Amino acid sequence: MKKQLVRHTRDYFQRIYNQVPDAIFLSPGRINIIGEHVDYNDGFVLPAAINKYVCFALRKTNNDTISFHAKDINESYSLSIHDNLAPVETMWVNYLLGVLDELKRRNKKVSGFQMAFSSTVPMGSGLSSSAAVECGLAFALNTLFDLGLSRQEIALIGQQAEHRFAGVKCGIMDQFASVFGKKNKVIKLDCTTLDYSYYDAHLGDYSLLLLDSCVKHTHLTSGYNDRRNEVEVGLKMIQSQFPEVHTFRHCSLEMIENLKTELGDIIYKRCLFVVKEIARVGQAIAALQAKDYPLLGQTMTETHWGLSKEYEVSCPEIDFLVETMVQHEGVLGSRMMGGGFGGCSI
Ligand code: ADP
Ligand code: MG
């Protein structure tokens, strides 16, 4: 499938531009075992890159034009390297312009180039096609134009591109997982410090299975940004009572219970989820290390009901998938995966 993707992307590039690309890049999507909606709440997450990719074919030119072709949706876009960059109506273009803008802000210069891309990461399914697009372009330009960016900078460029040009206030998990992923490894990422370590992804006799609900989301309108605002307000209210709380990591369940009335029903539930989820990731990592897969599965299912009832980012179709799956003998746990409002269950 990977070879086919590369071949099709290269052939497409040649057909569109009548030229051979200088280089091909593969940028992976990701799964996340546990730690949902805590990457922007100073938690830990446990993602892994997967064998589904956005494939980029690129060629440097001798002029000032930058051209993008999106094979999967048969659309194209061109601009001059001198153009002022600002978000445009066409959503997919924004992920790419956002990256160019971030390079500009860092004084990293590119000349004209031609690019075509195609993907096996489904769009809007929670496997982070958006991060794969952003980071793939940043990685490719870094190599092609010798920009000297580190992997961490590439991940941060992807995240900022999504904030500024796509309007989605995503955390750092997706971009980090795409850029730092390694074969058969999950990454434990501390979203406060960006410290990370790798764990074996082998789960004994068990496998990770994704079920695509086929309910599509777009995080610009999904409620993702609302959640970010709600927890931001919640944290400020907690801090005004408990100044020692710098982030949700320093916050206890007792503090939230104490402030239940002040926080109000919605913000109380959101904060409750975050504090519990941060603790659950710790439990899940211990279970993974101890090869206690039933406990890992149970923790994942608890996360699901937190996401569904407290953070309210699931949907009836995903709840159905989870409820149905956990009734099967041999299924250790199940949950919604990714930002939510559709997408996949794991
Ligand atoms: P997710 O990251 O979970 O897949 P998002 O809503 O964050 O979902 O990002 C999906 C968006 O990324 C798409 O709507 C599209 O704009 C862009 N995108 C992703 N993959 C492609 C692709 N292969 N071709 C064009 N645009 C893509
Ligand atoms: Mg995304």
Side-chain angles (χ1 to χ4, degrees):
M1 214 156 113
K2 184 159 117 185
K3 277 192 186 141
Q4 202 178 37
L5 174 67
V6 170
R7 184 156 42 82
H8 286 170
T9 311
R10 181 183 284 125
D11 291 351
Y12 181 75
F13 185 99
Q14 289 184 0
R15 213 167 48 243
I16 295 284
Y17 296 113
N18 228 349
Q19 297 281 353
V20 179
D22 291 337
I24 302 279
F25 297 86
L26 288 165
S27 178
R30 64 102 191 87
I31 56 168
N32 183 29
I33 295 181
I34 198 161
E36 217 60 88
H37 284 275
V38 290
D39 57 344
Y40 56 85
N41 281 315
D42 294 292
F44 294 86
V45 291
L46 209 56
I50 57 170
N51 59 351
K52 290 188 183 294
Y53 308 91
V54 179
C55 181
F56 291 86
L58 291 100
R59 180 179 163 272
K60 271 196 233 182
T61 59
N62 297 320
N63 57 47
D64 293 346
T65 304
I66 295 175
S67 306
F68 302 133
H69 270 267
K71 175 176 182 288
D72 305 330
I73 51 174
N74 196 24
E75 285 184 20
S76 60
Y77 189 88
S78 294
L79 69 152
S80 156
I81 56 169
H82 307 295
D83 283 352
N84 276 329
L85 295 170
V88 294
E89 286 287 313
T90 318
M91 202 49 194
W92 67 270
V93 175
N94 285 326
Y95 296 96
L96 306 170
L97 295 183
V99 169
L100 296 180
D101 190 55
E102 285 303 314
L103 294 179
K104 232 177 202 176
R105 282 166 187 269
R106 288 167 174 76
N107 220 1
K108 301 287 181 187
K109 294 207 167 55
V110 300
S111 60
F113 65 91
Q114 298 167 322
M115 182 275 264
F117 71 111
S118 178
S119 172
T120 49
V121 187
M123 294 179 224
S125 289
L127 298 180
S128 215
S129 65
S130 59
V133 167
E134 297 141 12
C135 296
L137 180 67
F139 196 100
L141 295 179
N142 186 42
T143 311
L144 217 57
F145 293 100
D146 226 346
L147 303 178
L149 297 165
S150 68
R151 278 179 188 260
Q152 182 172 315
E153 281 173 295
I154 290 171
L156 290 168
I157 284 171
Q159 183 194 25
Q160 286 305 311
E162 189 146 345
H163 283 201
R164 292 213 172 90
F165 276 65
V168 179
K169 296 272 182 216
C170 56
I172 189 63
M173 171 172 73
D174 300 352
Q175 291 78 11
F176 201 94
S178 183
V179 178
F180 283 86
K182 280 191 183 175
K183 194 169 183 178
N184 294 328
K185 297 286 177 194
V186 297
I187 309 169
K188 175 191 165 191
L189 172 65
D190 179 333
C191 298
T192 307
T193 60
L194 299 188
D195 286 339
Y196 63 98
S197 46
Y198 294 100
Y199 290 84
D200 236 344
H202 293 297
L203 299 176
D205 292 336
Y206 292 92
S207 319
L208 295 167
L209 174 74
L210 301 184
L211 297 181
D212 191 346
S213 69
C214 296
V215 178
K216 296 287 172 195
H217 60 243
T218 144
H219 282 318
L220 188 57
T221 50
S222 69
Y224 189 102
N225 289 343
D226 297 335
R227 295 298 174 279
R228 272 205 86 141
N229 292 334
E230 287 157 4
V231 287
E232 209 173 290
V233 170
L235 184 61
K236 284 211 179 95
M237 292 171 77
I238 296 165
Q239 285 170 331
S240 70
Q241 288 293 318
F242 302 98
E244 69 273 27
V245 171
H246 297 296
T247 72
F248 274 110
R249 206 180 284 189
H250 311 105
C251 185
S252 67
L253 286 179
E254 292 73 45
M255 291 173 181
I256 293 176
E257 292 303 340
N258 271 333
L259 292 175
K260 188 171 177 177
T261 323
E262 290 88 330
L263 291 172
D265 186 42
I266 299 279
I267 295 186
Y268 162 76
K269 282 197 285 190
R270 308 297 189 246
C271 296
L272 197 64
F273 169 78
V274 171
V275 172
K276 285 192 200 166
E277 181 70 356
I278 290 173
R280 271 193 294 260
V281 178
Q283 253 178 17
I285 290 167
L288 189 65
Q289 280 179 306
K291 300 193 189 320
D292 187 344
Y293 306 124
L295 179 60
L296 178 62
Q298 190 189 316
T299 315
M300 288 168 71
T301 307
E302 281 166 21
T303 286
H304 178 74
W305 293 114
L307 288 165
S308 178
K309 307 281 185 227
E310 292 162 359
Y311 218 63
E312 296 182 288
V313 290
S314 185
C315 62
E317 293 84 350
I318 297 269
D319 284 351
F320 167 80
L321 286 177
V322 168
E323 267 169 35
T324 310
M325 287 313 287
V326 294
Q327 285 168 25
H328 279 265
E329 201 187 324
V331 173
L332 295 180
S334 176
R335 67 179 196 83
M336 174 211 110
M337 195 195 70
F341 306 98
C344 288
S345 74
I346 181 168

